[in-house]
């Protein structure tokens, strides 16, 4: 099958690493490994995190324009008509402005993965995005659920409960190599996370507070990651700064190598549905 793939939160080739980008890449790779011709149909990032109604409206209009351009290309024969549309990770802050319109016009299946609903956003700053996400979920021919917590709000929106398909989070284990850590040194801890404000920073602060209680033990911590909240993260780990090595942002191969020689992965994962970094560490 020829499958149009779209990730409204973050396209698979976005320059900033994150778990969302990694899962998008994994879904794309899984579709191709299954023998499908999966291609990135659009790189429009519909995410709007500040609650700016004007910007949300502009993204909606742009999404509609791109959907119509895609359809015109299909009608003119410049774009082969896909057999299905697959959208990964849509919610009120990152709705899918393309998939429902294109799939509906072409009469092809519309499949979505990791869709969620937040009823409290019905009258919030992202009410329009939430309405669009609800419409997309109701329109979907199948909803792949990676996080079981999403099921409670998504299932009532589906005309047939059989459209909910539970899939466990996954990765390509072939990329990982198991090594025995060097046991002569004190335990080497590692954490991997972008340094963003919000839940990531809250996790770093919780980690710093927890490790500050363990200074009577011998250990070291390697921190892999960077971002806008770097200064605040350094402050959060200041009580244990003599034990910390800052490695910055590393490529996927280097990350796997660092995981392979570490003794323990540590991360509080505040409010994370599921952490790809945790899964990779396992």
């Amino acid at each position: 099958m020829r499958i149009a793939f779209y990730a409204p939160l973050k396209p698979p080739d976005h320059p900033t690493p994150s778990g969302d980008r990694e899962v998008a890449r994994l879904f794309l790779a899984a579709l191709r490994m299954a023998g499908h011709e999966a291609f990135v149909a659009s790189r429009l990032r519909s995410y709007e995190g500040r609650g700016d109604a004007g910007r949300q409206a502009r993204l909606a209009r742009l999404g509609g324009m791109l959907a119509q351009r895609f359809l015109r290309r299909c009608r003119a024969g410049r774009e082969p008509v896909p057999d299905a549309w697959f959208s990964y990770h849509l919610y009120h802050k990152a709705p899918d402005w393309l998939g429902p319109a294109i799939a509906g016009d072409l009469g092809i299946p519309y499949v979505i993965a990791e869709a969620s609903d937040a009823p409290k956003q019905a009258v919030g700053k992202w009410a329009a995005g939430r309405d669009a996400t609800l419409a997309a979920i109701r329109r979907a021919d199948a909803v792949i659920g990676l996080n079981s917590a999403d099921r409670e709000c998504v299932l009532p929106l589906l005309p047939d409960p059989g459209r909910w398909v539970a899939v466990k989070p996954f990765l390509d284990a072939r990329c990982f190599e198991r090594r025995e850590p060097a046991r002569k040194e004190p335990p080497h801890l590692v954490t991997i996370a972008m340094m963003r404000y919000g839940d990531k920073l809250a996790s770093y602060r919780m980690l710093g507070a927890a490790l500050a209680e363990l200074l009577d033990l011998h250990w070291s911590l390697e921190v892999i990651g960077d971002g806008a909240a770097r200064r605040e993260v350094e402050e959060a780990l200041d009580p244990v700064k003599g034990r910390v090595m800052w490695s910055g942002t590393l490529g996927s191969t280097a990350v796997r190598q660092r995981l392979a020689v570490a003794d323990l992965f540590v991360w509080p994962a505040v409010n994370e549905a599921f952490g790809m970094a945790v899964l990779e560490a396992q």
Side-chain angles (χ1 to χ4, degrees), residues 84-85 103-104 107-112 136-144 158-160 162-165:
W85 184 281
I108 59 176
Y110 176 58
V111 180
I112 57 181
I137 293 172
R138 293 188 177 106
R139 162 71 179 79
D141 295 282
V143 178
I144 298 173
L158 302 178
D160 175 7
R163 296 188 182 187
W164 170 271
V165 182

Side-chain angles (χ1 to χ4, degrees), residues 3-32 38-45 86-89:
I3 300 177
F5 182 92
Y6 175 50
L9 178 58
K10 181 180 285 187
D13 55 359
H14 192 278
T16 303
S18 69
D20 297 303
R21 188 189 72 172
E22 183 61 22
V23 178
R25 290 178 171 183
L26 287 167
F27 265 117
L28 194 57
L31 290 170
R32 290 168 176 169
F39 67 98
V40 177
S42 175
R43 290 176 173 81
L44 171 67
R45 194 178 186 203
F86 188 109
S87 288
Y88 163 69
H89 204 171

Side-chain angles (χ1 to χ4, degrees), residues 20-141:
D20 297 303
R21 188 189 72 172
E22 183 61 22
V23 178
R25 290 178 171 183
L26 287 167
F27 265 117
L28 194 57
L31 290 170
R32 290 168 176 169
M33 288 178 66
H36 300 297
E37 183 188 349
F39 67 98
V40 177
S42 175
R43 290 176 173 81
L44 171 67
R45 194 178 186 203
S46 69
Y47 176 77
E48 198 290 305
R50 298 181 180 178
D52 184 333
R55 187 166 188 273
Q56 292 173 42
R58 290 192 295 274
L59 286 168
R61 289 194 296 271
L62 179 57
M65 292 169 58
L66 292 174
Q68 290 304 311
R69 186 174 72 177
F70 186 93
L71 289 169
R72 286 196 299 270
R73 290 178 61 85
C74 287
R75 297 187 189 107
R78 296 195 301 272
E79 178 75 43
V81 176
D83 299 297
W85 184 281
F86 188 109
S87 288
Y88 163 69
H89 204 171
L90 48 150
Y91 69 120
H92 59 278
K93 292 184 181 180
D96 183 1
W97 299 115
L98 283 79
I102 293 173
D105 189 280
L106 297 178
I108 59 176
Y110 176 58
V111 180
I112 57 181
E114 201 177 347
S116 61
D117 175 37
K120 64 182 179 181
Q121 294 299 332
V123 292
K125 296 179 180 179
W126 294 276
R130 190 227 177 195
D131 289 343
T133 299
L134 293 184
I137 293 172
R138 293 188 177 106
R139 162 71 179 79
D141 295 282

